[in-house]
Amino acid sequence: MDPLIVLASVSKDYHSGPEVVHALRAVSLDVGAGELVAVVGASGSGKSTLMNILGCLDRPTSGSYSLAGINVGARSADERAMVRNRMIGFVFQGFNLLARTSALENVELPLVYRGISRRERRRRAERALAQVGLADRVLHTPAQLSGGQQQRVAIARALVTDPPVLLADEPTGNLDSKTSYEVLALLQQLSREMGITVLIVTHEPDIAACTDRQVTFRDGYLVEDKRNPSPQDALALMRDLEAHNGDAA
Amino acid sequence: MKALLSAVRMALSALTRARARSLLTSLGILIGIAAVVIVTALGTGARKSVSDQIESLGSNLIFIFYKPVSKSGAQGALGTGGGLSDRDAAALEREAGALAQVTVYSDVKAQVVSEQGNAKIQVVGADRKYFEVRSFTIERGRSFTESEEQVKAKVCVIGQTAINKLFGNVDPVGRFVRVGKYPFRVIGTLKSKGQSPFEDQDDRIITPIGSWRSRVAKTRGDQVQLVMATAKTADRVPQAVRQIDAILRQRRGFADGEEPDFIVRTQAEFQKSQEAIFGILTMLLLGVAAISLFVGGVGVMNIMLVSVTERTREIGIRMAIGAKRADIQMQFMTESVLITAFGGLLGVLLAAVSIFFMQRELGWTMVFSTDAVIIAGVTSLVVGIVFGFWPAQRAARLDPIEALRHE
């Protein structure tokens, strides 16, 4: 079977004044279905650009990107919006939930752009929230939820369309260690149990240690692609941390 | 349809989140729409009351005014130097075959006193035929007799508004009013002719022209301010005008082609010029109303631009999770249209209430038409679309990556 994501010699140049910035240089990368991949690198290494291209928010300057056999890199803005809606779930560092809007409505939002009926939207959103363990928080607004809960609402929003790919841009950047492991455990579970391909951009080595594979970027080049034969279990790490904190107390 | 419904629902929740701002923004539209509806109602009402007047007066009415001209040489061969006179009227009645009736008219605004009160009232001097020519009917009592006219009797017929001012609920027939130092006995009352926007035809008392000349306003000889006549039929009005012109030119010594010292105007001409004036006034007011609507629209556009800037991040999120440009465009235009539609609705309500009170308190004839409501509704939607388009387009053209990065 072909890999789900195929990047073939993808480059991205930005023009900043007279200078040309090479954000990505001839990156080739295959990711299979159900893989949990950490994307690491210093800031400016090109990992955000990679995520933007993978997420169909941006187009490569050269090279091709195909997702599930579709050459999405060459599609129009509206077609890419449709691809984002149906095939990709986004999780951001800053959660990016709509303020003063209930968890349920936030999660329903991607389905609105798919023209799904209100009742069906509600049903699916409730199911996605239950999946991330927030069945009892559906009517809370982001301000009434903790950071970890907000990130879980965001994950539910990403999941509600049943996408094959989930892109998480530093999903634990704004969270404490325990909550970070909690969110990570959820992502691990999605990849293992539901076969969703998850790419996580991260700075933190202990987060990367929980993934199946780690790709490293430097100056726009993909410099290292290494498999992790024995990824750590985030849930176990979280319990250790709890036990440790318990001792300290 | 379903997409529209969910867009409306989404827009409503966005607007209710910024309730005060939405209300203030729609205020501009509210005022504009209310102004348009009220002005339209006023214009339609004025035109209607003019056409009602045509019906109540009859279109075959003809007015003859005196207009002094500077003319060298002798004035008036028959010694009628100065204004029109009873004799002019009598000559017209005698000689102009196309005329049915001729009457004379003079008026002055004077202080009128009764036992119950006093007020400034139009005091009219006329003869018996005046009532018929102007379609006044006697409600109670009677009109003047010929002998009362000849002896310049101090009697009068009184209109409904004047009764209210001078007598209140007391029956005035048989009672006296005083004009200057002379008492006049009220012998009859006029049936109300109703209000017109610029003149109250019921605020008057009418005395025989002779009594008026000697007791109310001292006048030289048998002069009158105005001669009024009716043509036998509406079709014969032009013929009647030609006859009047010829007879008066001969009597007053003006050759054909020379500018005479009188003007002949038909009721139809009056109505036309009055309608033209109302038309111009209505257009002017509508222009002002349209400007306020435009300003309201600019206000909506301004707020929508602010809203787009404030919600850049939200737009980025929506785009990331699959909103197409058209979806974003639709979302913001729906918001602006809802604001203007809401303003329009309240504007129509405000206009309806204002029109109701203006009719009741000021007695103006106004016509609150369904046409005006439909036009107002369509206008407010169009304003929302026109002034919402550009801000919505700015939102739709945002780059999702930039928008997501926006703080």
Side-chain angles (χ1 to χ4, degrees):
Chain A
M1 197 182 86
D2 283 341
L4 187 66
I5 293 171
V6 180
L7 291 181
S9 188
V10 165
S11 297
K12 180 71 192 180
D13 302 335
Y14 291 110
H15 296 272
S16 113
E19 285 173 54
V20 177
V21 179
H22 302 285
L24 282 181
R25 304 180 202 237
V27 171
S28 292
L29 175 70
D30 294 355
V31 182
E35 270 191 280
L36 177 62
V37 182
V39 179
V40 297
S43 62
S45 61
K47 56 189 196 313
S48 291
T49 306
L50 177 80
M51 291 302 257
N52 286 340
I53 287 174
L54 287 176
C56 291
L57 290 168
D58 208 347
R59 284 199 282 194
T61 311
S62 66
S64 78
Y65 165 32
S66 77
L67 178 62
I70 308 162
N71 183 8
V72 290
R75 298 303 172 107
S76 73
D78 278 355
E79 284 171 321
R80 281 183 288 131
M82 205 131 74
V83 170
R84 289 197 294 273
N85 186 253
R86 284 163 194 265
M87 305 187 69
I88 297 163
F90 287 95
V91 178
F92 305 93
Q93 179 176 4
F95 319 137
N96 275 346
L97 298 174
L98 298 190
R100 282 173 287 177
T101 305
S102 72
L104 193 68
E105 284 174 291
N106 264 294
V107 175
E108 273 183 25
L109 208 52
L111 301 177
V112 171
Y113 294 116
R114 229 154 137 174
I116 287 171
S117 79
R118 221 148 91 96
R119 191 180 304 165
E120 178 67 9
R121 284 201 313 251
R122 173 142 306 198
R123 198 182 64 74
R124 289 208 212 172
E126 277 170 352
R127 197 184 58 190
L129 280 166
Q131 227 176 330
V132 299
L134 287 174
D136 55 343
R137 295 280 194 279
V138 288
L139 295 180
H140 288 56
T141 61
Q144 297 167 322
L145 295 169
S146 71
Q149 287 170 332
Q150 288 187 52
Q151 195 57 298
R152 282 193 281 158
V153 173
I155 292 171
R157 181 179 65 189
L159 286 178
V160 76
T161 56
D162 294 320
V165 179
L166 205 144
L167 300 176
D169 193 355
E170 303 203 32
T172 60
N174 287 6
L175 303 173
D176 60 35
S177 315
K178 179 183 163 276
T179 322
S180 293
Y181 286 133
E182 201 179 284
V183 166
L184 197 57
L186 185 58
L187 295 176
Q188 271 185 337
Q189 187 198 346
L190 293 175
S191 134
R192 288 190 191 141
E193 291 171 18
M194 301 181 62
I196 297 175
T197 305
V198 181
L199 281 96
I200 306 174
V201 172
T202 186
H203 285 302
E204 298 154 65
D206 52 340
I207 299 285
C210 296
T211 60
D212 306 331
R213 182 181 173 191
Q214 182 176 327
V215 291
T216 310
F217 283 80
R218 190 180 301 140
D219 300 331
Y221 293 104
L222 172 59
V223 291
E224 193 183 26
D225 182 351
K226 124 187 128 176
R227 304 227 165 236
N228 185 357
S230 54
Q232 302 238 32
D233 184 28
L235 205 60
L237 289 171
M238 184 180 86
R239 292 206 179 111
D240 286 352
L241 196 66
E242 268 176 336
H244 179 74
N245 286 350
D247 291 347
Chain B
M1 193 62 221
K2 213 162 69 182
L4 188 67
L5 204 69
S6 80
V8 167
R9 217 177 275 129
M10 209 143 73
L12 273 178
S13 74
L15 293 177
T16 47
R17 254 175 256 145
R19 206 166 286 138
R21 178 195 284 186
S22 310
L23 283 178
L24 286 174
T25 311
S26 60
L27 192 64
I29 302 296
L30 187 160
I31 291 166
I33 291 289
V36 169
V37 174
I38 291 170
V39 167
T40 312
L42 254 179
T44 322
R47 226 164 291 161
K48 183 173 176 298
S49 72
V50 168
S51 67
D52 285 354
Q53 273 177 21
I54 297 183
E55 271 168 41
S56 76
L57 295 172
S59 56
N60 44 3
L61 196 57
I62 300 164
F63 300 87
I64 304 131
F65 302 93
Y66 170 65
K67 186 195 72 176
V69 286
S70 50
K71 186 190 175 206
S72 57
Q75 274 272 8
L78 293 168
T80 52
L84 298 162
S85 68
D86 286 356
R87 278 163 295 143
D88 288 319
L92 288 175
E93 186 152 37
R94 209 166 47 234
E95 296 168 27
L99 291 181
Q101 276 178 313
V102 181
T103 185
V104 293
Y105 177 95
S106 289
D107 70 9
V108 68
K109 199 107 175 163
Q111 197 70 26
V112 181
V113 183
S114 74
E115 280 173 54
Q116 279 79 14
N118 73 92
K120 253 205 156 36
I121 287 173
Q122 195 82 5
V123 179
V124 174
D127 60 20
R128 281 164 299 155
K129 284 165 289 178
Y130 172 75
F131 300 100
E132 233 174 295
V133 169
R134 286 295 315 270
S135 319
F136 278 112
T137 22
I138 303 292
E139 192 167 50
R140 273 171 290 144
R142 57 177 180 82
S143 168
F144 329 127
T145 61
E146 197 179 347
S147 68
E148 277 170 340
E149 284 179 357
Q150 278 165 357
V151 303
K152 300 175 186 174
K154 288 170 282 182
V155 293
C156 71
V157 173
I158 187 166
Q160 198 54 52
T161 308
I163 295 173
N164 294 343
K165 285 182 180 172
L166 295 174
F167 293 99
N169 294 326
V170 179
D171 182 3
V173 178
R175 291 174 186 275
F176 286 87
V177 296
R178 189 165 54 75
V179 182
K181 57 187 178 187
Y182 299 103
F184 285 76
R185 187 159 55 90
V186 177
I187 56 169
T189 67
L190 293 175
K191 191 158 177 240
S192 173
K193 284 189 83 130
Q195 306 270 352
S196 74
F198 299 104
E199 187 199 23
D200 183 354
Q201 303 187 63
D202 298 326
D203 190 14
R204 61 180 62 190
I205 66 174
I206 301 152
T207 70
I209 183 71
S211 322
W212 190 89
R213 279 193 290 248
S214 54
R215 324 269 189 218
V216 179
K218 284 270 179 282
T219 313
R220 193 152 64 94
D222 60 352
Q223 289 190 2
V224 295
Q225 292 166 358
L226 185 65
V227 175
M228 277 183 255
T230 47
K232 279 185 172 141
T233 65
D235 296 343
R236 294 183 72 177
V237 168
Q239 188 196 356
V241 170
R242 280 195 303 275
Q243 290 176 348
I244 292 165
D245 187 66
I247 293 164
L248 289 181
R249 272 177 192 276
Q250 195 201 1
R251 282 182 58 79
R252 302 176 73 81
F254 291 93
D256 284 350
E258 199 180 350
E259 194 191 351
D261 66 348
F262 58 90
I263 303 168
V264 183
R265 284 269 175 278
T266 65
Q267 181 68 16
E269 284 169 342
F270 264 126
Q271 308 299 10
K272 250 182 234 159
S273 63
Q274 240 177 324
E275 264 184 63
I277 290 166
F278 285 142
I280 290 165
L281 266 176
T282 307
M283 289 318 289
L284 261 172
L285 289 171
L286 262 181
V288 174
I291 288 170
S292 81
L293 197 58
F294 180 82
V295 172
V298 171
V300 170
M301 179 148 84
N302 194 9
I303 287 297
M304 289 314 292
L305 283 174
V306 171
S307 177
V308 167
T309 308
E310 277 182 359
R311 289 155 70 189
T312 299
R313 201 181 176 85
E314 175 193 325
I315 295 162
I317 296 168
R318 288 177 183 274
M319 285 176 158
I321 63 177
K324 297 189 188 80
R325 284 182 172 179
D327 293 323
I328 301 293
Q329 174 102 30
M330 177 85 158
Q331 182 191 348
F332 282 91
M333 284 188 67
T334 309
E335 285 183 26
S336 66
V337 168
L338 278 182
I339 288 176
T340 58
F342 181 71
L345 189 73
L346 289 189
V348 169
L349 286 178
L350 176 70
V353 172
S354 314
I355 289 168
F356 175 77
F357 279 104
M358 282 160 113
Q359 276 180 321
R360 210 182 62 177
E361 302 301 323
L362 304 175
W364 290 2
T365 311
M366 296 174 81
V367 180
F368 182 65
S369 63
T370 44
D371 283 3
V373 174
I374 291 166
I375 289 167
V378 171
T379 308
S380 54
L381 294 184
V382 168
V383 168
I385 290 167
V386 168
F387 290 95
F389 184 82
W390 185 51
Q393 196 178 45
R394 288 217 346 183
R397 288 195 176 162
L398 286 173
D399 172 30
I401 299 169
E402 294 289 326
L404 276 170
R405 240 180 253 150
H406 192 266
E407 287 306 319

